[in-house]
Amino acid sequence: MERLKITQGDITQCQVDAIVNAANTSLLGGGGVDGAIHRAAGPELLAECRTLGGCPTGEAKATKAYRLPCRYVIHTPGPIWHGGTADENRLLASCYRNCLAQASALGCKTVAFPSISTGVYHFPVAHAARIAIDTIQAYLQTHDEITCVTMVCFDAATLAAYQQALEETEPKHA
Ligand code: AR6
């Protein structure tokens, strides 16, 4: 069975061990998927986030999930797209890698990601999808403890970009 899946949907409804939040460095909430996660989890999530002292771009911090149907929320501030000259690629890969490392450390087997940085932060989605898929696949190759990673795409264009990126990494059969 494939350990990396691409789906379309709402990440707040995912019944997995951990969901990832595309946060900002304050970790104090915002719009997009961050707002949706805080609304669905309830005010206790913000209260726990206030104790964390923020998080640098590319790193990750975990909290409990409160009213969400998962066990943990792993918060990661993605890079803001500045045209590709501000270390955006490395920072985005670092988000995926550090979230997966947090999941492993917490004993999680199943993890769901949103498309980090491709909303308000304007990272081009085709480019972000390639980085996400490559980084997740590299991690899975060396970490058997994670049994399934799901990329949860909110809209059809995002879904198409991640499906395309996954197809491009699969071996071609002549
Ligand atoms: N489930 C899955 N994906 C979602 C959901 C959802 N419920 N809602 C939105 N998306 P964004 P960023 C998609 O803007 O670009 C916040 O204000 C959305 O369609 O949420 O990393 C933070 O506080 C897009 O494809 O995150 C930061 O300030 C993807 O999630 C800033 O936005 C990411 O879009 C972070 O910007």
Side-chain angles (χ1 to χ4, degrees), residues 9-11 22-24 29-34 36 115 117-121 152 154-155:
D10 177 355
I11 202 166
N24 57 60
V33 69
D34 195 4
S115 177
S117 285
T118 68
V120 171
Y121 283 178
V152 182
F154 202 51
D155 56 84

Side-chain angles (χ1 to χ4, degrees), residues 25-101:
T25 56
S26 78
L27 299 185
L28 297 180
V33 69
D34 195 4
I37 286 172
H38 275 274
R39 273 194 301 280
E44 298 92 342
L45 179 62
L46 182 58
E48 185 174 354
C49 283
R50 284 191 198 287
T51 69
L52 298 177
C55 181
T57 301
E59 296 186 18
K61 291 187 179 179
T63 63
K64 292 187 281 183
Y66 302 97
R67 295 174 210 171
L68 290 162
C70 52
R71 289 167 57 208
Y72 299 102
V73 180
I74 302 173
H75 307 263
T76 186
I80 298 170
W81 182 255
H82 290 293
T85 55
D87 216 13
E88 294 96 326
N89 296 349
R90 187 188 64 78
L91 289 166
L92 187 64
S94 173
C95 287
Y96 284 94
R97 212 177 298 112
N98 283 324
C99 286
L100 289 166

